Amino acid sequence: NAGVTQTPKFQVLKTGQSMTLQCAQDMNHEYMSWYRQDPGMGLRLIHYSVGAGITDQGEVPNGYNVSRSTTEDFPLRLLSAAPSQTSVYFCASSSTGPYSNQPQHFGDGTRLSIL
Amino acid sequence: AQSVAQPEDQVNVAEGNPLTVKCTYSVSGNPYLFWYVQYPNRGLQFLLKYITGDNLVKGSYGFEAEFNKSQTSFHLKKPSALVSDSALYFCAVRESRDDKIIFGKGTRLHILP
């Protein structure tokens, strides 16, 4: 029962490097989202998707890109890493459509450090 | 745009005492409200939700929450705290006509033995 799988679990980058954080879910959920968690800031929504081919910006989208080519996968791309992007990143998914009241299932997070 | 406030960064409660973790929200439409718990080095786990109906909702691990529309609050409660309840708790809101789910900053709950 995999649920939401995030890879890698840990990553260290140098300023200016790019990378992709992977997220996959096996529950056929339509809604997927990316959050970053910082001390004292809680969880802030980066981008979200209500289905394949549809994405939208959240509260803090700058410096990040997403795409949703399949229902299962929702990768998050850092185009040019900056120290301010040092954080723990969580991917989440939930069932049914845009106006769903279903709770989200979260991955275990990716801990990213930018030097 | 919707928003969530958790006014307490940390709450300390003696084991066996009742606990309350506060949450207030702001939406322009009808709210969907959620509570999640996070243990160290893990993702968030769902505790309970309010969608409509009875203002008192019950969830996992003996937790419950009371929806108060006039005060725009959704406080998390438990009658008797356990040491194992120590964790980080998040309140979240989704406006019924929007897709975004917004979280509060979290409240760290310490249950003292």
Side-chain angles (χ1 to χ4, degrees), chain B residues 20-72:
Chain B
T20 299
V21 183
K22 296 179 181 178
C23 171
T24 60
Y25 66 90
S26 175
V27 297
S28 54
N30 293 321
Y32 295 155
L33 294 156
F34 305 85
W35 275 103
Y36 290 82
V37 60
Q38 185 183 32
Y39 298 102
N41 301 313
R42 298 302 303 275
L44 278 66
Q45 298 175 28
F46 169 72
L47 278 179
L48 52 78
K49 66 180 180 181
Y50 171 83
I51 304 303
T52 187
D54 194 351
N55 290 341
L56 184 65
V57 294
K58 295 186 182 298
S60 305
Y61 312 120
F63 283 93
E64 57 190 28
E66 186 170 10
F67 171 68
N68 187 316
K69 187 173 183 178
S70 63
Q71 297 186 1
T72 62

Side-chain angles (χ1 to χ4, degrees), chain A residues 4-10 21-22 34-35 37 87-91 106-112, chain B residues 38 41-44:
Chain A
V4 179
T5 303
Q6 291 184 236
T7 56
K9 294 188 183 303
F10 303 93
L21 279 64
Q22 302 291 344
W34 276 102
Y35 294 87
Q37 183 178 20
S87 187
V88 181
Y89 291 84
F90 287 99
C91 179
F106 281 80
D108 283 339
T110 294
R111 284 152 184 79
L112 183 62
Chain B
Q38 185 183 32
N41 301 313
R42 298 302 303 275
L44 278 66

Side-chain angles (χ1 to χ4, degrees), chain A residues 31 35 37 40-43 45 48 50 57 59 90 98-104 106-108 111, chain B residues 32 34 36 38 41-44 46 49 51 88 90 94 96-105:
Chain A
Y31 187 96
Y35 294 87
Q37 183 178 20
M41 303 295 292
L43 267 71
L45 181 64
Y48 64 99
V50 299
Q57 296 181 350
E59 302 169 278
F90 287 99
Y99 306 120
S100 166
N101 55 32
Q102 297 304 307
Q104 295 191 91
F106 281 80
D108 283 339
R111 284 152 184 79
Chain B
Y32 295 155
F34 305 85
Y36 290 82
Q38 185 183 32
N41 301 313
R42 298 302 303 275
L44 278 66
F46 169 72
K49 66 180 180 181
I51 304 303
L88 187 57
F90 288 95
R94 181 177 193 172
S96 58
R97 293 173 293 178
D98 199 347
D99 300 327
K100 294 189 291 293
I101 303 171
I102 303 300
F103 283 78
K105 294 184 178 181

Side-chain angles (χ1 to χ4, degrees), chain A residues 13-57:
Chain A
L13 292 178
K14 294 181 179 179
T15 298
Q17 287 184 316
S18 63
M19 81 159 294
T20 299
L21 279 64
Q22 302 291 344
C23 175
Q25 52 90 8
D26 61 358
M27 297 169 283
N28 201 31
H29 285 169
E30 295 179 354
Y31 187 96
M32 296 187 74
S33 54
W34 276 102
Y35 294 87
R36 59 178 290 174
Q37 183 178 20
D38 302 291
M41 303 295 292
L43 267 71
R44 292 182 290 170
L45 181 64
I46 305 172
H47 287 284
Y48 64 99
S49 169
V50 299
I54 306 170
T55 64
D56 207 344
Q57 296 181 350

